[in-house]
Amino acid sequence: MQQHINILIDRLNDAFRGKTWYGISFIDKVNDIDWTIVNKTPFESANSIAKLVKHCMNWRYFAIEKLNGNATFDIELNTPQDWTEITITSQKDWTDLVTELKRTQQGITTILSTKNDAFLDKTVPGKPYNFLYLIEGVIQHDVYHLGQIAIVEKLSR
């Protein structure tokens, strides 16, 4: 049975590119941003939009690796693997980053679509939590950073 998996895929897709009750979806917001401001940090402790997007992608890669059963892949918090420095120098660079972000979404949903509901209760390889927690975490993580992206964009214009 795939009832819960299908609900999670819908939630992932809604947050990423669907209609949300809290406003604009992640990809619609990112697509709406002018590449010329994605490196700006409006105040000292802020991350740039590009760095926030890359950070979200890093954790999506983590999810993909874990969904594929990779027990050895990990990301240590507050390291370059978690918060990768990135500088966008052209519209093409920005488009490429956004395209890769879209690929991570497709990767997660494609893998999930091959699983059944029982899979969600399985422990994530190398972690003390299950796949349901992981996927809900990806959704929450994206929504959290979407808010930061919106603030940084507004302050950078």
Side-chain angles (χ1 to χ4, degrees):
M1 183 187 236
Q2 286 186 297
Q3 183 176 349
H4 205 147
I5 288 279
N6 290 335
I7 290 169
L8 275 179
I9 291 170
D10 287 346
R11 285 184 188 161
L12 274 164
N13 285 332
D14 285 347
F16 190 75
R17 63 174 163 77
K19 293 185 179 189
T20 62
W21 65 267
Y22 51 81
I24 193 167
S25 70
F26 196 93
I27 200 64
D28 287 341
K29 173 48 100 181
V30 169
N31 280 334
D32 194 42
I33 297 172
D34 186 319
W35 78 269
T36 61
I37 68 165
V38 300
N39 298 314
K40 292 184 178 184
T41 52
F43 50 91
E44 188 176 320
S45 63
N47 288 305
S48 70
I49 292 167
K51 192 171 183 178
L52 287 163
V53 169
K54 182 65 176 162
H55 169 74
C56 288
M57 285 173 50
N58 290 344
W59 286 100
R60 289 164 152 276
Y61 288 130
F62 173 86
I64 290 167
E65 289 295 321
K66 294 305 179 182
L67 286 165
N68 282 324
N70 188 341
T72 61
F73 185 86
D74 204 2
I75 295 177
E76 186 178 336
L77 296 177
N78 301 313
T79 65
Q81 197 178 16
D82 179 15
W83 290 99
T84 306
E85 291 297 329
I86 183 169
T87 301
I88 300 297
T89 61
S90 66
Q91 177 64 54
K92 182 184 180 323
D93 285 353
W94 181 238
T95 300
D96 289 350
L97 186 68
V98 173
T99 298
E100 187 59 25
L101 177 65
K102 291 174 185 176
R103 281 191 197 118
T104 64
Q105 176 71 11
Q106 185 62 50
I108 292 171
T109 58
T110 297
I111 296 166
L112 279 177
S113 70
T114 69
K115 307 296 183 185
N116 62 31
D117 285 352
F119 175 79
L120 296 173
D121 291 327
K122 292 183 178 180
T123 301
V124 173
K127 294 295 171 189
Y129 47 81
N130 65 22
F131 282 103
L132 176 61
Y133 183 83
L134 173 67
I135 299 307
E136 288 180 341
V138 169
I139 296 166
Q140 293 170 15
H141 188 252
D142 280 0
V143 172
Y144 173 77
H145 287 301
L146 171 61
Q148 291 180 328
I149 290 167
I151 291 168
V152 171
E153 180 203 21
K154 186 171 187 170
L155 295 173
S156 295
R157 278 192 266 132

